Every structure is written in C-alpha cells, then in structure tokens.
Amino acid sequence: FNKAGAELATAGSSSSAYTNPVASDWKNQKIVISNVSGSIIVVFRNVSDYGNNIFIDNINIKQETSRDISVVAVNPPVPTECTNAVTPIATIKNVGISTITGFNVSYSIDKGTPQQTTVSGISLLPDSTVKVPLNSFTPTEGAHQITVFSSSPQSSSGTGDLSPLNDTLQKSFFVVGKVNLPVTEGFESSTFPPSGWSIENPDGGVIWERTTKAAKTGTASMYINNYKSLFTGTTDKFVSSVITGTSTYDSIYVSFDYAYNAGNSASLSDTLELQVTTDCGQTFKTVWERSGTDLQTVTGYSPDFVPFSNAWKNISLNLFDVVGKNDFQVYFVFKGNKQNNVYIDNINLYGITVPARLKQQGYLIYPNPFHQQFIIRNYQVPVTLQSAHIYNSIGQLIWTKEYNGKAYTLMNVDFSGPPPGVYILKLTYTDKTVVQKIVKQ
C-alpha cells in the first residue's frame, strides 16, 4: 500500500491544520498480504512533505483463509413465533479472501434431522453477505432452538471451508399457542411466565419476573427490577398467546393495573408501552404509552420503588378499532433506563356484545322509565352528534347539552332535578334527528 497527496486524502484539501476528523472523513482500508509464511512485521511509514496531519485508528491484523463463510444471523424465526409455517432466512457472510460461487447451508430444530439447502451460481465477494431462504417448517407450541450451519464453500481455488469454527449459529425462540377470550392473569400462580405468556429479554439483563413484594389484589404481581439494572436502553417484552374467539364480540377490551415511581434523572426516563399485533408480530400498533413523570402513579422519588396499596393505577382500553374481529396478541413493552421499578397486576382481556336493538337503530336510551339518571348509548362513536335537549310535556326546554361532534359512545345524563313525569328527548345529529319519549318515576 502506497498513497500520497490527493490520492491519500479522505477529506479534500485545506491550507489550515487538520486536527479534528469527523465520522465521514474516515476511510476503511483492507490490504491482503498473500503468499506469506513465518513471522512478519508490519510498518506504517509516513513520509512528510509539510502537507497536513494524518490519523490512523483501528488497526486489525488477522490471518484469513481463502475459503471461509460464516452464519451471522437467522431471522425468522423471531423470538416469539406463532404456530404458523416459518421459513428461516439465514444470513451468510464471506469472511475469506476468495470469491465464493456456492455453498450448502442446513438447519435443525431441537437437534432433529437437518434440512439442507444448496446455493449455487452466485458471486459472493469477500466481506459480502447473502440471505438464504431455507426449507419451511411448522413449529409446535413451546420453547425451541434452531441450529444453522454452513458447509462446502466453493471458489476458483477449490471446495471446502478452511476455517470451520465460525460455521454454526444457534438461536432460541418460543412458539405461542391460541387462547379464547376472556383472558385473565393475576400472577398468583408460582409458575412464571404464566401459561399462555412468554418473555423476550434480548439484552440478557433484568427481566420481567413474579414478585410478592407488592400486589394490587392477591399476593403477587409482575415487575422489572429496573432500579438495579446495569444498563440503559434495555427493552423487555411480556407477550400473550394468540387471542382468538373475537368474532362474536362488538368490542374488545384490555385492562391492567400498574405502579411506577419516576427516577431522578433529568435526561433519562423509563417507558411502558402496550402494543397490539394481528399478524404474529410482523407489524405492531402502540395503543398506550407513558414515559417518565407521565408514567408515574405516585410522586416523590422513592429509590428501588415498592408500591403501597394506593400507588396503583388502572388502565382500560377498547382495542376494537385496532383488532376488529381478528385474532391478536398484546405485548407489554418496558424500555428501561435504570430509573425505577415498574409493577403490573390484574391483566384482563375480554369482549362485550351490544344489544341487537343498539346495532339495528344505532342508539339506545335506557333505563326508561328511570329514577334519577339515564344513559344515551351510541353503537359507534357519535362524531355527528351536535346536541341533546329535553323538553317537558308543554314543550318547555329544561335541559340541554352541546356536543359538537365530541360526544362519547356511552353518556350518562343526570336528571335528578326535575320532578317525575313524561319528557321528550331530542338528539340532533348532522345527518338525522332522534326524538324519544322518556319517563322519570
């Protein structure tokens, strides 16, 4: 290797002193020293002609073989799979110095019979990678391990891997089954993760675990001891089975209790998310997310937080707009930055079926007759509802409420003031008007 002047430059030219290279200024140089036997000495020699400063970093001298390929990744399977057919995709890298024209790659599940794929007619240059789809398989529910290994790389110099130590890759994954609604989990059983749930812990640090230190109800809950984590930027997931049986419901709800006390860092915060997937983890929708002080359920910093009875907060979400009548999974995702512990209890997933009359006419007024209060219920979010008015028997307006498209599906009306009698309720939408007699007893 011998370069000078403009050919050597990686950052243009300048008459001023070059003292602070930025990331884009650096160039990686790889030099193959072939036909060498015995010991060598490598010398970096700078011959100065009063030009400018030169910087060198990350010197790496290693012995490479002519034919050497390595399995560097396999994805899928992903950490959490469903009981669907899976086509593993192996990433193979040429870590030798010869161009590879073909090779074999095989895999086995749980040390079973290997399945081999032959790759030919390629030109895989040194330091390049290629993704290879392997034979499909249908996994069974439970924990598994896939082992992928390469063999017989071919080049113009011959056939065979001259460095087999990097040929094999192993990866663990978990296959979830299917469960019907409703699903409840209060972590009272000593088995963890509970049946029907799995855990993803890619960083290998602190992890979701069962604890009897605190609980909203019962004696146990689930938590992450994030206060004692060794790392920032961790992500841990608590994953449900595929939840089915949704087709008979008009709404799908998830509720849970959680407790958290924010840390004392001004720049770092922890985050809790609830994600939903209807395609076994290929795509996700975040339906709820809180971070830092927005996540906390109690104020006043308490290191290594253990919640007291009033420190819990309940969350209830309607998932129907996200999942419809499809099978789905929920992921409780905690993104930790060593701030404090988070606790979860009483996970509930359930469906609600609305009355047939509500589906038919789009609204219900009940109970009718009533005593003090009644409910205006719409089948869908009433974005067209503008107002509600109540008139007495002689036509006088005695109660009114303006909504202007911001009404809720379920609205409670307090009508405790007026005396018993017959009244007329008028609901004004942008596209219709509903008039109904109501009776207060």
Side-chain angles (χ1 to χ4, degrees):
F1 173 84
N2 186 354
K3 290 185 178 181
E7 185 185 12
L8 178 64
T10 64
S13 61
S14 175
S15 59
S16 60
Y18 182 56
T19 59
N20 188 25
V22 298
S24 59
D25 290 350
W26 293 89
K27 180 180 179 180
N28 180 262
Q29 184 72 51
K30 181 176 181 179
I31 305 159
V32 177
I33 307 172
S34 57
N35 300 320
V36 173
S37 60
S39 300
I40 63 171
I41 295 176
V42 176
V43 178
F44 292 86
R45 185 178 69 159
N46 178 55
V47 179
S48 175
D49 195 21
Y50 303 101
N52 220 324
N53 303 325
I54 185 169
F55 297 81
I56 294 178
D57 199 2
N58 299 323
I59 297 171
N60 185 10
I61 303 173
K62 63 179 181 178
Q63 183 178 11
E64 291 187 335
T65 60
S66 174
R67 296 180 305 279
D68 186 12
I69 59 175
S70 176
V71 183
V72 295
V74 56
N75 191 49
V78 295
T80 301
E81 284 284 355
C82 303
T83 54
N84 305 322
V86 176
T87 301
I89 298 178
T91 302
I92 309 299
K93 183 175 183 179
N94 182 359
V95 292
I97 60 176
S98 294
T99 299
I100 300 299
T101 59
F103 57 88
N104 295 327
V105 58
S106 305
Y107 79 89
S108 65
I109 303 297
D110 302 329
K111 299 181 180 180
T113 303
Q115 303 291 317
Q116 180 174 288
T117 299
T118 298
V119 179
S120 60
I122 64 170
S123 181
L124 186 61
L125 299 175
D127 288 330
S128 299
T129 60
V130 61
K131 294 184 182 296
V132 182
L134 307 179
N135 297 330
S136 298
F137 71 97
T138 300
T140 58
E141 185 177 346
H144 298 281
Q145 184 178 73
I146 184 171
T147 303
V148 185
F149 51 96
S150 61
S151 61
S152 306
Q154 303 171 9
S155 72
S156 58
S157 63
T159 301
D161 199 321
L162 301 178
S163 180
L165 296 179
N166 55 3
D167 290 352
T168 302
L169 177 72
Q170 291 183 329
K171 179 180 180 179
S172 297
F173 63 100
F174 188 88
V175 179
V176 296
K178 289 188 175 183
V179 294
N180 287 311
L181 285 173
V183 175
T184 62
E185 185 52 58
F187 308 102
E188 295 304 300
S189 170
S190 60
T191 301
F192 193 89
S195 176
W197 297 83
S198 62
I199 292 174
E200 293 184 19
N201 178 233
D203 53 81
V206 294
I207 190 172
W208 288 112
E209 58 184 303
R210 180 179 182 267
T211 180
T212 56
K213 293 180 180 179
K216 172 61 177 177
T217 59
T219 61
S221 64
M222 174 180 74
Y223 92 127
I224 285 185
N225 193 359
N226 179 57
Y227 179 77
K228 295 182 178 178
S229 174
L230 300 177
F231 309 102
T232 59
T234 61
T235 299
D236 292 274
K237 302 178 182 181
F238 186 65
V239 184
S240 76
S241 292
V242 176
I243 298 168
T244 188
T246 59
S247 60
T248 60
Y249 295 105
D250 297 295
S251 291
I252 307 295
Y253 284 87
V254 58
S255 68
F256 61 95
D257 296 310
Y258 84 93
Y260 174 79
N261 178 233
N264 59 0
S265 172
S267 58
L268 295 175
S269 61
D270 301 323
T271 301
L272 181 63
E273 297 180 10
L274 182 65
Q275 299 177 348
V276 175
T277 176
T278 58
D279 52 18
C280 192
Q282 297 182 48
T283 59
F284 290 91
K285 174 72 173 180
T286 298
V287 296
W288 183 85
E289 177 183 7
R290 297 291 185 274
S291 299
T293 55
D294 289 335
L295 177 63
Q296 69 181 6
T297 57
V298 291
T299 58
Y301 177 54
S302 176
D304 203 5
F305 173 62
V306 177
F308 46 89
S309 58
N310 294 328
W312 296 82
K313 183 176 182 179
N314 180 260
I315 301 297
S316 180
L317 304 167
N318 189 342
L319 303 180
F320 194 74
D321 289 343
V322 178
V323 306
K325 295 182 180 295
N326 299 305
D327 294 351
F328 69 98
Q329 293 170 271
V330 293
Y331 280 59
F332 288 87
V333 182
F334 184 70
K335 299 177 180 178
N337 276 306
K338 296 177 58 176
Q339 294 304 292
N340 223 328
N341 308 326
V342 63
Y343 296 75
I344 291 177
D345 201 2
N346 299 324
I347 298 173
N348 288 283
L349 292 131
Y350 58 96
I352 292 178
T353 302
V354 302
R357 186 179 176 188
L358 175 59
K359 294 182 186 180
Q360 181 181 8
Q361 67 182 21
Y363 71 93
L364 276 182
I365 313 298
Y366 65 92
N368 190 17
F370 64 94
H371 291 285
Q372 302 293 328
Q373 299 176 337
F374 65 91
I375 292 171
I376 303 173
R377 184 174 180 181
N378 289 269
Y379 181 43
Q380 297 179 336
V381 178
V383 294
T384 60
L385 179 61
Q386 300 299 301
S387 62
H389 302 290
I390 299 178
Y391 302 87
N392 62 17
S393 58
I394 60 174
Q396 294 176 318
L397 178 64
I398 59 173
W399 184 92
T400 184
K401 177 73 172 179
E402 301 296 326
Y403 295 105
N404 298 317
K406 297 181 179 179
Y408 296 100
T409 305
L410 199 69
M411 297 174 291
N412 187 69
V413 177
D414 183 357
F415 204 64
S416 57
V422 178
Y423 296 88
I424 300 298
L425 170 66
K426 180 181 180 181
L427 302 175
T428 302
Y429 298 81
T430 57
D431 55 349
K432 64 181 177 181
T433 299
V434 172
V435 178
Q436 181 167 323
K437 181 175 68 175
I438 57 176
V439 178
K440 180 179 181 182
Q441 293 179 333

